[in-house]
């Protein structure tokens, strides 16, 4: 039996975090299925999703863990931070409390991931313009102060959803290229195209082209 | 083949943890000797012979005896039934395996196990086929002056007829007393108690901490079971909010945890159905048209039965959810003992048991099964009574093992993970659940601490 052919060069692991009901699962669903789930049941523990995208001419498979937002599940969801190359931190633009909790989510992320993990802040539900509770500028400032990438997005309309996932991947890819992300580190959250199922053994296959994106 | 026999040895060395022969436990040696025999019926008989000594020591294995309606002195009949069951099993099994002929690599030990487990299911099925006689047994039992609760548990374990399910559940949950004369009075008092608690804590200004709980429940409930229209009704959502809120404030160590709402559903649906006519479609019923009194009764009954039900699994929902973490580890150990091939397959592809079984434990499989199946599963859970917490572990093990052939065909992490999180149970019905719990029972019988189990029965 021959090893299955791989149609991608890298696997990037993502985690989606944030308060209950901010729309984490809907963002994932919109990204993987390009559909909006109007009433998705709350996530228990974690759920898994995946999609292959192209970044800088490379096929990249994203393996995404969507976590439960409820505090009680935190003990379990914390174990998924390790080994995440990208963390999508989500709040609800129509509920200030979900924005106020960002600093605690950020602390968790910084403590539990490695220094090369790319953190992307998403303000979801941007379609609900008349219910806005957090100004764009305020969140933008928070993101800048903490060195986070940031967009406002809508899982409902799909606005900026693709961008958030893809920009995170571009940033990870850049970090691989400029050497900030060590592919051989055990918990980098990135696997280079494996020659056989299992752990990456990257030696002489470092990407040659510089990303021009 | 060499690998298979090695696996056999590994597993049997576990079985022999308690070296002395235990009545009613399959003797490992005898099982090995039959494991290369391709005739399923022979291996079934071998198994039966290996455990026959259970009859000699006067230990009543009540579960088995009862399910098949066999008295202990009636061994001849027992054998006849067992053999005819075995034949049914083989036929059943043949049909079931027709579409997976490429899976001949299946280790024999596994095939044997399946046959044995099917035999019990068959008995259960036969009982179910004879629905009217089962119903009349239930009815007779429910009418006795002082209910034999153990009898009711045994009868309920393999499924409760729809018609008397609500009353049976109330009794199994310990909500209604055994004494038939006191039932009406107790029921009225408990329902009133609940209404008073709701008055006192729900319809008043809430403390800040209670307000947080309420808010969480309030935003959660509309997202519950989005595909079932019944749960989109405001009246129903309010009932759930009250039940969950009252439960949460009475259990401060856990509070409200997402998933508990799914555990209310079977109770609510069964008690609601009781108030409807047989031909009312549950999906089309407008709950707000039901009288307030009846609605209150459904709500109070759901609350009290849920409370009783959750008592033995409270550690699932406390800080860090230690109960679940513990059970996930137990599941992992169990699968390692039972099916090393599957266990290694999962590990090889970096699947962590927590990733898929956490939800199974947190929601007691309600997210993995259609509602009708959850209700059937509740019959058995309630009949297990206080030991249901440990039994659920074996149900999860049986559930995982049910998919083992499909899982072994998946060759990478994501294929496995997506399958494990979306197991195709849409077409499952009562008989699938009967098989599942029978297999769980078999696993528990073999792998749980059997000596204690037998001692309890002896005394």
């Amino acid at each position: 039996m021959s090893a299955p052919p791989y149609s991608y060069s890298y696997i990037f692991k993502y985690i989606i975090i944030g308060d209950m009901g901010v729309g984490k699962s809907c963002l994932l669903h919109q990204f993987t299925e390009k559909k909006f789930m109007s009433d998705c049941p709350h996530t228990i523990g974690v759920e898994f999703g995946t999609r292959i995208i192209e970044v800088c001419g490379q096929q990249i498979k994203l393996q995404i863990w969507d976590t439960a937002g409820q505090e009680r599940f935190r003990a379990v969801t914390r174990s998924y931070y390790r080994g995440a190359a990208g963390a999508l931190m989500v709040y609800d633009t129509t509920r200030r409390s979900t924005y106020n909790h960002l600093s605690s989510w950020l602390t968790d992320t910084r403590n539990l991931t490695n220094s090369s993990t790319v953190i992307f802040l998403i303000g979801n539900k941007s379609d609900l313009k008349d219910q806005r509770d957090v100004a764009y500028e305020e969140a933008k400032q928070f993101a800048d102060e903490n060195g986070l990438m940031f967009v406002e997005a809508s899982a409902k309309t799909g606005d900026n959803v693709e961008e958030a996932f893809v920009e995170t991947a571009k940033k990870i890819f850049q970090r691989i290229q400029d050497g900030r992300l060590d592919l051989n580190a055990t918990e980098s959250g990135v696997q280079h195209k494996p020659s056989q199922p299992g752990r990456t053994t990257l030696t002489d296959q470092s990407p040659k082209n510089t990303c021009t994106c | 083949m060499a690998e298979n026999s090695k696996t056999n040895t590994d597993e049997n060395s576990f079985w022999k943890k308690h070296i002395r022969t235990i009545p009613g436990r399959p003797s490992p040696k005898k099982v090995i000797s039959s494991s290369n025999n391709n005739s399923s019926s022979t291996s079934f008989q071998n198994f039966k012979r290996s455990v026959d000594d259970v009859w000699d020591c006067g230990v009543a294995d009540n579960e088995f005896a009862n399910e098949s309606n066999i008295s202990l002195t009636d061994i001849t009949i027992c054998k006849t039934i067992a053999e005819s069951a075995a034949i049914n099993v083989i036929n059943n099994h043949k049909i079931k395996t027709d579409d997976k002929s490429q899976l001949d690599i299946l280790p024999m030990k596994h095939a044997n196990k399946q046959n044995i487990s099917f035999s019990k299911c068959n008995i259960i099925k036969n009982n179910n086929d004879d629905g009217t006689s089962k119903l009349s047994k239930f009815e007779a039992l429910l009418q006795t002056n002082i209910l034999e609760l153990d009898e009711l548990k045994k009868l309920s374990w393999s499924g409760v007829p729809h018609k008397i399910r609500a009353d049976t559940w109330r009794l199994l949950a310990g909500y209604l007393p055994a004494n038939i004369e006191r039932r009406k009075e107790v029921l009225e008092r408990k329902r009133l108690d609940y209404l008073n608690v709701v008055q006192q804590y729900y319809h008043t200004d809430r403390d800040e901490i209670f307000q947080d709980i309420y808010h969480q429940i309030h935003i959660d409930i509309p997202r519950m079971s989005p595909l079932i229209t019944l749960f989109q009704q405001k009246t129903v959502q309010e009932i759930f909010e009250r039940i969950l809120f009252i439960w949460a404030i009475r259990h401060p160590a856990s509070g409200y945890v997402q998933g508990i709402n799914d555990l209310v559903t079977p109770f609510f649906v069964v008690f609601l159905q009781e108030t409807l006519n047989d031909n009312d479609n549950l999906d089309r019923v407008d709950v707000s048209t039901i009288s307030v009194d009846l609605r209150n009764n459904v709500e109070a009954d759901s609350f009290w039965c849920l409370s009783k039900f959750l008592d033995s699994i409270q550690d699932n929902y406390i800080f860090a959810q230690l109960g679940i973490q513990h059970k996930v580890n137990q599941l992992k150990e169990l699968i390692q003992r039972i099916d090393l091939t599957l266990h290694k397959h999962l590990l090889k592809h970096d699947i962590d048991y927590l990733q898929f079984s956490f939800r199974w434990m947190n929601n007691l499989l309600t997210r993995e099964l259609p509602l009708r199946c959850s209700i059937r599963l509740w019959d058995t859970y309630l009949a297990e009574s206080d030991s249901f917490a440990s039994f659920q572990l074996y149900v999860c093990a049986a559930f995982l093992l049910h998919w083992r052939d499909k899982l072994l065909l998946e060759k990478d992490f994501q294929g496995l993970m997506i399958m494990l999180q979306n197991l195709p149970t849409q077409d499952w019905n009562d008989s699938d659940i009967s098989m599942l719990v029978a297999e769980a029972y078999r696993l528990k019988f073999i792998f749980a601490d059997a000596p204690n189990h037998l001692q309890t029965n002896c005394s």
Side-chain angles (χ1 to χ4, degrees):
Chain A
M1 208 178 73
S2 60
Y6 287 94
S7 54
Y8 52 90
S9 331
Y10 291 92
I11 296 176
F12 289 177
K13 291 189 182 164
Y14 280 17
I15 180 172
I16 311 181
I17 51 173
D19 273 11
M20 280 170 46
V22 296
K24 298 179 291 297
S25 302
C26 291
L27 285 166
L28 175 62
H29 195 77
Q30 176 62 256
F31 177 66
T32 57
E33 310 289 325
K34 301 206 186 296
K35 268 186 239 157
F36 176 61
M37 272 193 298
S38 58
D39 265 315
C40 65
H42 31 252
T43 308
I44 304 295
V46 290
E47 271 165 36
F48 178 75
T50 181
R51 203 186 117 187
I52 294 176
I53 57 170
E54 191 180 308
V55 168
C56 308
Q58 301 278 344
Q59 296 292 311
I60 293 173
K61 177 185 270 192
L62 300 183
Q63 289 187 344
I64 307 153
W65 288 109
D66 168 30
T67 67
Q70 199 187 17
E71 174 73 29
R72 185 48 46 88
F73 295 116
R74 211 66 74 83
V76 170
T77 52
R78 278 200 176 108
S79 62
Y80 291 85
Y81 286 72
R82 290 167 64 218
L88 306 184
M89 195 163 73
V90 187
Y91 71 96
D92 177 349
T93 54
T94 69
R95 272 195 297 144
R96 174 156 285 275
S97 63
T98 67
Y99 173 81
N100 293 342
H101 292 154
L102 286 178
S103 54
S104 106
W105 287 109
L106 188 59
T107 309
D108 259 13
T109 313
R110 296 245 196 262
N111 288 342
L112 297 165
T113 60
N114 55 61
S115 57
S116 58
T117 301
V118 172
I119 307 175
F120 201 111
L121 179 65
I122 301 176
N124 190 30
K125 310 194 190 177
S126 63
D127 55 292
L128 302 174
K129 291 189 175 69
D130 52 348
Q131 295 175 41
R132 177 182 284 278
D133 202 14
V134 181
Y136 174 86
E137 293 72 22
E138 186 183 357
K140 177 72 178 138
Q141 190 185 345
F142 174 84
D144 289 344
E145 282 166 5
N146 290 286
L148 314 175
M149 300 165 85
F150 171 59
V151 289
E152 285 189 344
S154 166
K156 189 169 185 177
T157 64
D159 189 37
N160 273 343
V161 174
E162 185 84 4
E163 286 76 359
F165 284 85
V166 173
E167 289 303 317
T168 306
K170 279 186 190 166
K171 187 84 172 179
I172 295 168
F173 192 68
Q174 264 175 29
R175 289 191 177 179
I176 296 171
Q177 288 190 312
D178 63 24
R180 272 189 69 190
L181 192 150
D182 179 7
L183 283 172
N184 292 318
T186 46
E187 281 165 1
S188 67
V190 175
Q191 283 178 41
H192 198 241
K193 187 176 187 173
S195 53
Q196 57 188 23
R199 294 268 169 235
T200 314
T201 49
L202 181 92
T203 44
D204 54 354
Q205 284 190 300
S206 304
K208 289 164 203 114
N209 307 329
T210 309
C211 180
T212 53
C213 313
Chain B
M1 214 43 218
E3 202 188 320
N4 285 347
S5 55
K6 187 178 174 296
T7 322
N8 268 338
T9 324
D10 287 346
E11 193 177 312
N12 287 322
S13 64
F14 162 75
W15 282 15
K16 292 194 71 170
K17 207 161 112 190
H18 309 281
I19 295 292
R20 71 198 163 87
T21 318
I22 297 156
R25 262 200 161 182
S27 150
K29 276 185 206 151
K30 288 179 200 167
V31 174
I32 289 174
S33 71
S34 67
S35 65
N36 289 329
N37 194 323
N38 281 334
S39 157
S40 311
S41 60
T42 316
S43 52
F44 176 81
Q45 280 150 12
N46 282 343
F47 173 82
K48 206 172 78 60
R49 211 175 301 128
S50 75
V51 297
D52 245 4
D53 55 351
V54 71
W55 311 117
D56 301 337
C57 75
V59 175
D61 181 356
N62 290 331
E63 293 285 353
F64 271 105
N66 232 291
E67 305 269 333
S68 46
N69 307 319
I70 301 153
S71 87
L72 286 177
T73 51
D74 232 354
I75 293 174
T76 347
I77 294 172
C78 165
K79 278 185 175 157
T80 323
I81 288 179
E83 275 159 21
S84 70
I87 290 162
N88 285 340
V89 165
I90 295 155
N91 292 338
N92 256 356
H93 189 61
K94 272 184 191 149
I95 297 163
K96 288 204 173 278
T97 45
D98 269 349
D99 58 331
K100 38 182 177 177
S101 46
Q102 81 273 31
L103 296 170
D104 284 340
I105 46 159
L106 193 75
M108 268 318 287
K109 63 179 175 76
H110 196 80
N112 283 345
K113 277 178 189 170
Q114 288 199 341
N115 287 341
I116 296 156
S117 68
F118 280 133
S119 74
K120 195 173 179 230
C121 301
N122 230 293
I123 292 163
I124 291 166
K125 262 180 156 174
N126 288 343
N127 274 352
N128 280 349
D129 290 344
D130 195 6
T132 43
S133 91
K134 186 162 186 176
L135 179 61
S136 56
K137 270 185 212 155
F138 267 96
E139 282 172 337
L141 197 55
L142 296 179
Q143 291 309 315
T144 49
N145 285 338
I146 306 287
L147 174 81
E148 289 281 346
L149 189 58
D150 282 343
E151 285 300 312
L152 187 66
K153 285 179 186 169
K154 282 169 203 157
L155 211 50
S156 305
W157 200 91
S158 56
V160 181
H162 173 74
K163 197 177 160 199
I164 38 82
R165 189 173 256 142
D167 259 340
T168 305
W169 281 17
R170 289 187 192 101
L171 288 158
L172 288 174
Y175 173 45
L176 279 186
N179 186 334
I180 197 165
E181 287 171 4
R182 291 190 51 236
R183 280 180 209 160
K184 189 163 175 279
E185 170 213 328
V186 169
L187 199 56
E188 281 169 3
R189 184 168 47 80
K190 289 293 236 180
R191 285 169 173 172
L192 195 62
D193 280 355
Y194 174 77
L195 278 183
N196 287 336
V197 173
V198 170
Q199 274 305 329
Q200 195 177 345
Y201 292 98
Y202 191 85
H203 296 296
T204 53
D205 291 338
R206 301 183 192 104
D207 290 349
E208 195 181 329
I209 184 163
F210 289 174
Q211 190 58 39
D212 281 352
I213 293 176
Y214 171 76
H215 180 69
Q216 202 168 42
I217 294 171
H218 186 67
I219 59 173
D220 243 24
I221 292 306
R223 295 170 67 194
M224 182 181 70
S225 309
L227 298 177
I228 303 177
T229 51
L230 178 68
F231 299 111
Q232 306 316 313
Q233 297 179 24
K234 195 161 176 287
T235 320
V236 174
Q237 294 187 348
E238 285 169 356
I239 289 173
F240 271 70
E241 282 180 16
R242 286 190 292 268
I243 292 173
L244 291 166
F245 177 78
I246 301 296
W247 189 86
I249 62 168
R250 285 167 61 102
H251 297 83
S254 49
Y256 166 70
V257 178
Q258 287 177 334
I260 294 181
N261 54 333
D262 287 346
L263 309 184
V264 182
T265 308
F267 292 112
F268 175 75
V269 168
V270 165
F271 295 136
L272 179 67
Q273 267 171 339
E274 189 190 30
T275 68
L276 305 174
N277 295 321
D278 278 347
N279 43 8
D280 282 346
N281 185 332
L282 199 62
D283 259 349
R284 270 181 243 131
V285 67
D286 180 355
V287 177
S288 64
T289 61
I290 299 172
S291 79
V292 178
D293 284 349
L294 280 180
R295 268 185 351 230
N296 283 345
N297 292 347
V298 169
E299 182 176 332
D301 292 0
S302 303
F303 171 81
W304 288 116
C305 290
L306 172 82
S307 299
K308 177 74 177 136
F309 188 65
L310 291 181
D311 274 354
S312 60
I313 51 166
Q314 269 199 66
D315 59 349
N316 281 2
Y317 307 108
I318 56 166
F319 176 74
Q321 303 199 268
L322 298 172
I324 295 184
Q325 301 213 31
H326 181 60
K327 275 175 223 149
V328 169
N329 284 332
Q330 283 182 317
L331 177 68
K332 186 174 171 182
E333 281 172 27
L334 199 58
I335 299 299
Q336 192 172 2
R337 289 167 181 173
I338 300 170
D339 193 336
L340 197 60
T341 313
L342 176 63
H343 177 73
K344 284 183 169 168
H345 181 68
L346 296 177
L347 289 198
K348 181 180 151 197
H349 294 292
D350 290 327
I351 300 281
D352 182 350
Y353 282 71
L354 189 70
Q355 290 161 350
F356 62 90
S357 66
F358 181 85
R359 190 171 72 190
W360 298 5
M361 313 269 183
N362 191 78
N363 287 37
L364 304 176
L365 290 178
T366 49
R367 279 281 178 96
E368 326 304 319
L369 299 170
L371 179 56
R372 60 178 182 279
C373 291
S374 294
I375 290 174
R376 165 63 192 86
L377 186 56
W378 252 237
D379 291 339
T380 305
Y381 281 166
L382 286 162
E384 280 283 324
S385 190
D386 291 337
S387 40
F388 123 76
S390 64
F391 185 70
Q392 209 257 333
L393 169 69
Y394 294 91
V395 176
C396 290
F399 190 61
L400 179 59
L401 292 170
H402 178 87
W403 308 101
R404 59 102 62 190
D405 294 339
K406 282 194 163 71
L407 292 168
L408 289 177
L409 292 175
E410 292 293 334
K411 296 298 182 200
D412 64 8
F413 173 82
Q414 84 169 51
L416 279 164
M417 204 64 232
I418 286 177
M419 169 172 275
L420 282 164
Q421 295 207 335
N422 304 281
L423 290 165
T425 58
Q426 307 84 304
D427 299 329
W428 274 35
N429 55 35
D430 283 7
S431 66
D432 293 291
I433 299 298
S434 291
M435 287 208 211
L436 182 72
V437 294
E439 177 65 2
Y441 178 85
R442 194 191 64 83
L443 294 175
K444 190 181 179 197
F445 185 72
I446 298 172
F447 291 97
D449 203 356
N452 287 341
H453 166 77
L454 289 174
Q455 272 163 21
T456 319
N457 276 351
C458 279
S459 60

